[in-house]
Amino acid sequence: MKKDRLDELLTLRASGELSARQRTELEGLLREFPERGEADFEVAAAAIDIALHVEDEPLPGHLRKKVLADAQRHFSSEKRAHRSGGRRPVSFLAWGGWLAAAAVLLAAIGLRWFPLDGEPGMHRDAQAQRTQLLAEDPSARVVPWTPTDDPTSSSDATGDVVWSDSRQTGFLRIAGLQANDPGRFQYQVWIFDRGRDERYPVDGGVFDVEAGQTETVVAIRNRLRIGEPYLFAVTVERPGGVVVSDRSRIALLAQVGG
Amino acid sequence: MNNLLNRIAKGDSSAVEGLLDRYGGLVWSIAKRYSQVAWEAEDAVQEIFLQLWQQAPKFDPQRSSEKNFVAMIARRRMIDRLRRGLNHPREASLDELASAAEPVVRDDRRIEEGTEAGLAARAMRGLPAAQRQALILSVYYGYTHMEIAQATKTPLGTVKSYITRGLKVVRDALSPPRIDGKALRR
């Protein structure tokens, strides 16, 4: 009976139907029957996929370059970890954590946060970190943006917020938002947390959108812990950002569960 | 074993280009099938390959072929993206419903006999048409059981049963006999 149930749960997993409760049940049964080929149904599903697959389309050249760059980063960090005695590689996320700590320090000594993501190298890193976060944290939330009628926000502005509660980190991905002159105004991200007063959302940092950039990926730099985010907002603010936004210009909104 | 994934598992980064040459098109095609817009597919491809570098040590050539392992990781990620709302939601199209009801493989010679795909195709040809359709909509197109039930106007319990039993039939067609719980070398 238990083995039948295990098979049933494995077929549900192979077709992407496993609930959180069933996942826990599955883990328990797999511990009980470790000899069971836990990937057999996924192997079967993959074989069906290949059987039905008509023809491969070549991987686009620019995407191949991105994948190769990802691979280079991955293997370099593996090698560094190996040289340092086999510890787990220091991930980009850990580096993001260091940045967050640095932000707290800067705030403590009275300096404004500065928009690191304006640098092209940082954009690439944020993109890689976002990819890694999605790959590593299956519970990370993904919330799509909704454009507003602010002049900076075109009706086809799109993208999403990826946020990990457990890692307290997240990323904005935005396309279709007007490029800004950092000397005139900057974008600022805010996180609304159910555990906090709605009037004082948590500052997630300022960022710029460069002209000619089709997509911007920005790391959220929250200085405070977020308990339960329910809304992310991007506002248009004076250069350097503000401590409390008057919310007169809201460019994008992303409502959790909206 | 001197396959690409085993080399990658040992940290041989020179195998990366080979893996991209051999399976880049497969991964891209799977990602595109599950995606509504190009950037979703491109994001997904990067995630899939990152997973492949990380999961390479788990590849066991006695349990599946390299191609099947790559497709398995790709499917897993794409379904995960769909369920987490990373990809735009889709509605089951009439075209997909119609083609899912057609014979599984139109050109049998295209699939090498004895491969996992060949065994899977043969097993699926033996399934009743309605069951095969539900299985294809789930496994190949990534629709949820509920979406399939609504699109095909079939009770949800029946859809679940079709897919569960269908996957078991294909699994059994692929699985080598077992002794003491251990798979025999294929």
Side-chain angles (χ1 to χ4, degrees):
Chain A
M1 285 293 280
K2 277 188 176 179
K3 286 187 177 178
D4 287 344
R5 176 63 178 160
L6 175 56
D7 278 357
E8 188 186 352
L9 292 171
L10 288 171
T11 59
L12 289 175
R13 184 172 74 174
S15 55
E17 294 283 327
L18 207 60
S19 67
R21 188 179 54 78
Q22 288 167 330
R23 186 173 292 114
T24 308
E25 185 185 357
L26 175 61
E27 284 164 4
L29 286 170
L30 284 172
R31 278 195 295 274
E32 206 172 326
F33 302 102
E35 79 285 357
R36 212 68 172 173
E38 67 161 302
D40 287 357
F41 289 106
E42 285 187 287
V43 168
I48 293 170
D49 200 298
I50 294 171
L52 293 166
H53 190 62
V54 178
E55 202 174 345
D56 286 353
E57 206 177 304
L59 190 66
H62 71 276
L63 185 54
R64 183 186 170 93
K65 281 182 189 163
K66 280 185 186 176
V67 173
L68 284 171
D70 288 346
Q72 199 173 17
R73 269 192 292 269
H74 172 77
F75 286 104
S76 300
S77 69
E78 290 277 318
K79 274 183 191 159
R80 277 200 302 275
H82 187 68
R83 279 201 298 269
S84 63
R87 282 176 296 155
R88 277 185 63 77
V90 178
S91 72
F92 292 114
L93 296 167
W95 193 61
W98 180 87
L99 282 177
V104 172
L105 183 64
L106 285 169
I109 58 174
L111 295 176
R112 282 297 308 168
W113 184 261
F114 47 92
L116 285 172
D117 294 294
E119 297 165 27
M122 287 300 293
H123 170 74
R124 278 200 302 277
D125 281 351
Q127 202 162 35
Q129 290 171 56
R130 179 185 177 278
T131 303
Q132 189 162 357
L133 179 62
L134 283 167
E136 291 181 355
D137 181 1
S139 66
R141 302 163 194 265
V142 182
V143 194
W145 289 117
T146 304
T148 67
D149 54 6
D150 188 86
T152 56
S153 178
S154 67
S155 59
D156 58 351
T158 183
D160 51 40
V161 181
V162 172
W163 176 259
S164 166
D165 288 334
S166 58
R167 300 185 185 203
Q168 287 290 300
T169 190
F171 298 89
L172 320 179
R173 182 177 51 175
I174 299 170
L177 198 60
Q178 183 192 310
N180 66 302
D181 172 356
R184 287 184 53 228
F185 71 88
Q186 286 189 290
Y187 294 104
Q188 189 163 4
V189 61
W190 303 93
I191 308 152
F192 290 75
D193 181 356
R194 285 207 193 283
R196 297 176 189 279
D197 190 327
E198 185 271 337
R199 290 172 297 172
Y200 306 110
V202 175
D203 176 7
V206 293
F207 66 95
D208 299 315
V209 174
E210 288 177 25
Q213 206 166 34
T214 52
E215 185 179 279
T216 302
V217 180
V218 183
I220 295 174
R221 298 181 299 262
N222 52 303
R223 304 171 200 186
L224 301 171
R225 183 173 176 80
I226 308 297
E228 189 184 345
Y230 64 93
L231 184 73
F232 295 85
V234 171
T235 59
V236 178
E237 306 292 356
R238 66 172 183 245
V242 294
V243 177
V244 178
S245 173
D246 63 11
R247 307 183 198 185
S248 58
R249 293 190 63 187
I250 299 173
L252 292 169
L253 288 169
Q255 190 171 5
V256 178
Chain B
M1 290 292 159
N2 198 25
N3 59 56
L4 292 166
L5 284 169
N6 285 147
R7 283 172 55 198
I8 285 171
K10 288 175 187 159
D12 177 0
S13 56
S14 67
V16 166
E17 294 237 17
L19 199 85
L20 278 173
D21 289 341
R22 199 176 292 173
Y23 303 118
L26 173 69
V27 170
W28 174 235
S29 302
I30 292 175
K32 276 189 73 178
R33 186 182 343 122
Y34 282 86
S35 306
Q36 297 294 295
V37 291
W39 61 260
E40 287 176 353
E42 293 191 6
D43 258 17
V45 166
Q46 286 184 265
E47 284 179 33
I48 291 166
F49 277 105
L50 186 63
Q51 285 271 293
L52 278 169
W53 316 143
Q54 292 169 344
Q55 301 279 321
K58 292 186 179 171
F59 169 62
D60 177 357
Q62 303 213 24
R63 297 201 81 93
S64 80
S65 67
E66 197 171 61
K67 183 177 186 178
N68 217 72
F69 184 85
V70 170
M72 184 180 82
I73 297 292
R75 281 193 72 255
R76 199 184 274 173
R77 281 248 49 87
M78 293 316 301
I79 289 177
D80 182 56
R81 287 178 63 90
L82 273 180
R83 302 294 183 260
R84 289 161 68 190
L86 270 161
N87 282 26
H88 284 71
R90 308 170 308 169
E91 287 180 11
S93 75
L94 290 176
D95 283 351
E96 285 174 358
L97 287 171
S99 60
E102 288 174 9
V104 183
V105 182
R106 288 164 208 143
D107 179 4
D108 291 357
R109 287 164 300 181
R110 191 176 56 78
I111 299 177
E112 210 178 314
E113 275 298 318
T115 61
E116 290 141 319
L119 294 168
R122 184 187 295 172
M124 288 188 71
R125 276 196 291 272
L127 297 175
Q131 183 175 7
R132 191 169 59 230
Q133 183 191 42
L135 193 56
I136 293 172
L137 287 170
S138 168
V139 170
Y140 191 67
Y141 292 105
Y143 292 116
T144 64
H145 293 180
M146 180 63 83
E147 286 169 335
I148 296 167
Q150 287 168 349
T152 59
K153 297 181 172 51
T154 307
L156 179 60
T158 307
V159 168
K160 282 183 189 294
S161 168
Y162 279 164
I163 294 165
T164 302
R165 287 185 200 162
L167 272 172
K168 281 181 182 168
V169 167
V170 178
R171 189 273 312 260
D172 290 346
L174 264 59
S175 297
R178 288 164 183 276
I179 293 177
D180 296 335
K182 288 183 180 172
L184 290 175
R185 192 189 178 99
R186 206 170 279 150

